[in-house]
Amino acid sequence: MTANPPKIKTAINTNERLKNLKNIFETKYGESPLFYACAPGRVNLIGEHIDYCGYSVLPMAIEQNILAAVSVNNSGTIQLANINPQYQDFKQSCPEDITIDRDNPKWYYYFLCGVKGIQERFGITRLAGMSCVIDGTIPPSSGLSSSSALVCCSALITMEANEKSLSKVSLAEICAKCEQYIGTEGGGMDQSISFLAERGTAKLIEFQPLKATDVKLPEGVVFVISNCCKEMNKAASSHYNIRVVECRIATKMLAQARGLDSSRLLKLAQVQTELKASLEEMLALVDEVLHPEPYSREEICKVLCITLEQFSTDLLSANTQDVTHFKLHQRAKHVYGEAARVMMFKSVCDSGPAESIQLLGELMNQSHASCRDLYECSCPELDQLVDICLKSGAVGSRLTGAGWGGCAVSMVPSEKIESFLQAVREAYFLPDPRRAAMEKQSLFVSKPGGGAAVILEE
Ligand code: ADP
Ligand code: NG1
């Protein structure tokens, strides 16, 4: 066992969930767990679909997490079970090169992503054998980062089981990379907040270098998460990677137009850095250089002076090979506008004038409109829910996470919280039996929670 952070100790007998997990573990494997690990999900308050473009985001960890009980042995085998019967048992003796099947993103592949990340980081040829039972409370495929919490938890478990030690920043960086083995070209927001979160504060997450700064949320408001009850599995669809690809192409088109070496640049933030321009100037540049009509492959290749084959291999991902048209103007407008909104949100939180709550609400509403109209990552259910939240007393409301389903986050004055919850319940959940059945876990207040940790039994 390593003696380095991140680690917390908890009084296991006072925690019903841990006790239950321990019982299930003992029944399943006939031994006691050696340690536990947990990694939280998150809600992103503002800054959507810009982490993979190199821009800062502003999430907070939520109480819901992935919790795992673990024992370690020298069998070289990984055995996984899940409290939720929807996720089947898994057992595999781990080779030096772990294979992740992108075409079939089963739950245990997310776990294996974390194992692979640590294995590669340390060049481990023979992994410690591990038996685990997983208990997750984050609604899956709902924009609250259940997949990343599973990857982060698995990396933490693998590090601990193999008696290695890493800083939280290194763990976050490794997990951001290794989750990509599942096929989604995500940014690093989810893994960063899962490791770097601290109870009681939201965080501004900056990339390159990765850094998390406390953001004090205003007094007198609470943040409410509501799930529109439509799931969207990122790895099993191409929506997400299409956006990543569109941003990559827009990067190259803008770079080319300004005489930069477009072959070197991959992210929209890099173009801004190279040009030493403000975000306002970047928004003007997008209007000047890119047209709103979708671009065909041929047009892009002509501008970038590349062949169709180079286009497919260098710019597209495996699951976007069939896409024929790309909306570059709209996507780049969203990214630069949203990046500016994040910085404004942070500075309003820092300066805290009396009217700040109204300003923060407006920024959240603008963010939703941009996600819906420019980035096209909302859906009718989310738009309806956001609308209902605003009519029910929220000062600001927006989709959170990848979108195309999943959750909205609303900022609500504390004194209105009960009437807000009741109004949303009545307007969105109760009229539909399926939603009504999911209401308890789909509408809740969220406070900034703590980060991932290994938990040792006392
Ligand atoms: P999210 O936005 O929540 O990260 P994704 O669609 O990217 O959603 O990932 C969801 C996937 O993560 C699930 O389909 C499942 O494979 C895995 N997952 C989430 N929660 C759990 C859990 N409690 N146990 C096992 N796997 C989980
Ligand atoms: P969720 O909502 O957890 O699937 C995804 C990406 C983030 C970020 C958001 C959109 C992964 C693991 N997560 O989050 O990096 O881009 O969408 O802001 O790909």
Side-chain angles (χ1 to χ4, degrees), residues 29 98 115 121 139 142 161 210 228 281 442:
Y29 298 124
I98 297 170
V115 176
R121 167 65 178 74
S142 301
L210 177 59
C228 81
E281 286 165 335
S442 302

Side-chain angles (χ1 to χ4, degrees), residues 170-395:
S170 300
L171 277 163
E173 286 174 337
I174 289 169
C175 288
K177 278 210 193 99
C178 70
E179 187 166 347
Q180 295 196 349
Y181 288 131
I182 207 77
T184 310
E185 294 192 54
M189 161 165 63
D190 306 346
Q191 303 83 359
S192 304
I193 190 67
S194 196
F195 281 111
L196 303 176
E198 286 175 283
R199 194 164 295 284
T201 179
K203 295 274 183 181
L204 180 80
I205 305 283
E206 295 166 272
F207 302 98
Q208 285 173 337
L210 177 59
K211 192 175 154 203
T213 309
D214 288 1
V215 177
K216 192 177 169 336
L217 297 172
E219 313 234 314
V221 290
V222 287
F223 288 88
V224 180
I225 297 174
S226 51
N227 193 337
C228 81
C229 303
K230 180 183 171 195
E231 287 192 3
M232 202 292 284
N233 186 309
K234 283 194 309 294
S237 63
S238 57
H239 297 301
Y240 188 90
N241 276 359
I242 292 175
R243 294 296 176 275
V244 176
V245 162
E246 286 173 321
C247 289
R248 193 181 296 147
I249 300 170
T251 298
K252 295 191 178 287
M253 300 287 271
L254 292 173
Q256 180 90 352
R258 278 294 171 269
L260 302 173
D261 176 5
S262 62
S263 64
R264 228 171 25 83
L265 305 180
L266 292 169
K267 297 180 182 178
L268 285 165
Q270 293 171 327
V271 186
Q272 185 193 2
T273 307
E274 293 278 322
L275 294 177
K276 297 186 177 59
S278 67
L279 286 166
E280 289 66 33
E281 286 165 335
M282 293 311 295
L283 284 164
L285 181 67
V286 172
D287 283 336
E288 185 191 320
V289 172
L290 300 172
H291 58 67
E293 296 75 27
Y295 283 76
S296 68
R297 288 174 179 231
E298 289 71 20
E299 183 178 1
I300 296 164
C301 288
K302 202 167 156 204
V303 174
L304 297 180
C305 305
I306 56 171
T307 63
L308 282 166
E309 202 186 338
Q310 284 172 318
F311 179 82
S312 293
T313 49
D314 297 350
L315 298 182
L316 300 182
S317 61
N319 65 349
T320 56
Q321 292 292 326
D322 294 335
V323 183
T324 55
H325 285 82
F326 304 85
K327 292 194 182 176
L328 307 184
H329 177 269
Q330 296 84 337
R331 310 312 184 216
K333 281 287 261 206
H334 165 79
V335 170
Y336 290 126
E338 185 77 354
R341 281 187 287 275
V342 171
M343 298 327 290
M344 281 185 260
F345 196 97
K346 162 86 166 56
S347 84
V348 174
C349 286
D350 288 346
S351 59
E355 66 280 15
S356 66
I357 288 169
Q358 216 54 45
L359 279 173
L360 296 178
E362 275 162 33
L363 290 168
M364 291 175 76
N365 296 338
Q366 285 168 15
S367 170
H368 184 75
S370 182
C371 285
R372 181 191 60 213
D373 302 334
L374 295 174
Y375 221 68
E376 296 177 283
C377 63
S378 189
C379 64
E381 293 86 344
L382 263 177
D383 291 339
Q384 186 200 0
L385 181 56
V386 162
D387 198 42
I388 287 172
C389 289
L390 289 173
K391 288 190 176 122
S392 303
V395 192

Side-chain angles (χ1 to χ4, degrees), residues 17 64-68 82-84 87 134-140:
R17 189 170 161 221
Q64 289 82 343
N65 64 10
I66 297 282
L67 175 67
N82 202 301
I83 280 206
N84 183 340
Y87 302 116
I134 307 289
D135 175 18
T137 51
I138 310 163

Side-chain angles (χ1 to χ4, degrees), residues 35-254:
F35 66 91
Y36 302 82
C38 65
R42 61 100 188 96
V43 57
N44 189 23
L45 300 180
I46 195 155
E48 226 57 84
H49 286 279
I50 59 171
D51 56 347
Y52 52 81
C53 297
Y55 283 111
S56 308
V57 292
L58 212 155
M60 65 185 193
I62 56 176
E63 290 301 328
Q64 289 82 343
N65 64 10
I66 297 282
L67 175 67
V70 187
S71 70
V72 180
N73 55 59
N74 57 14
S75 67
T77 298
I78 293 183
Q79 251 192 118
L80 304 176
N82 202 301
I83 280 206
N84 183 340
Q86 163 191 345
Y87 302 116
Q88 287 160 8
D89 286 5
F90 171 81
K91 187 172 179 179
Q92 183 180 296
S93 82
C94 265
E96 247 175 81
D97 188 16
I98 297 170
T99 314
I100 313 284
D101 184 358
R102 294 172 171 214
D103 297 327
N104 184 18
K106 291 252 165 54
W107 79 276
Y108 46 79
Y109 285 126
Y110 291 91
F111 193 95
L112 291 180
C113 282
V115 176
K116 192 172 167 75
I118 296 297
Q119 186 189 38
E120 287 179 345
R121 167 65 178 74
F122 291 102
I124 304 172
T125 45
R126 190 171 156 74
L127 282 164
M130 306 190 285
S131 299
C132 309
V133 179
I134 307 289
D135 175 18
T137 51
I138 310 163
S141 300
S142 301
L144 301 179
S145 287
S146 66
S147 60
S148 301
L150 182 54
V151 173
C152 292
C153 194
S154 150
L156 200 51
I157 290 169
T158 309
M159 178 187 89
E160 189 71 12
N162 289 277
E163 303 188 349
K164 303 291 182 196
S165 174
L166 286 166
S167 70
K168 294 182 185 192
V169 166
S170 300
L171 277 163
E173 286 174 337
I174 289 169
C175 288
K177 278 210 193 99
C178 70
E179 187 166 347
Q180 295 196 349
Y181 288 131
I182 207 77
T184 310
E185 294 192 54
M189 161 165 63
D190 306 346
Q191 303 83 359
S192 304
I193 190 67
S194 196
F195 281 111
L196 303 176
E198 286 175 283
R199 194 164 295 284
T201 179
K203 295 274 183 181
L204 180 80
I205 305 283
E206 295 166 272
F207 302 98
Q208 285 173 337
L210 177 59
K211 192 175 154 203
T213 309
D214 288 1
V215 177
K216 192 177 169 336
L217 297 172
E219 313 234 314
V221 290
V222 287
F223 288 88
V224 180
I225 297 174
S226 51
N227 193 337
C228 81
C229 303
K230 180 183 171 195
E231 287 192 3
M232 202 292 284
N233 186 309
K234 283 194 309 294
S237 63
S238 57
H239 297 301
Y240 188 90
N241 276 359
I242 292 175
R243 294 296 176 275
V244 176
V245 162
E246 286 173 321
C247 289
R248 193 181 296 147
I249 300 170
T251 298
K252 295 191 178 287
M253 300 287 271
L254 292 173

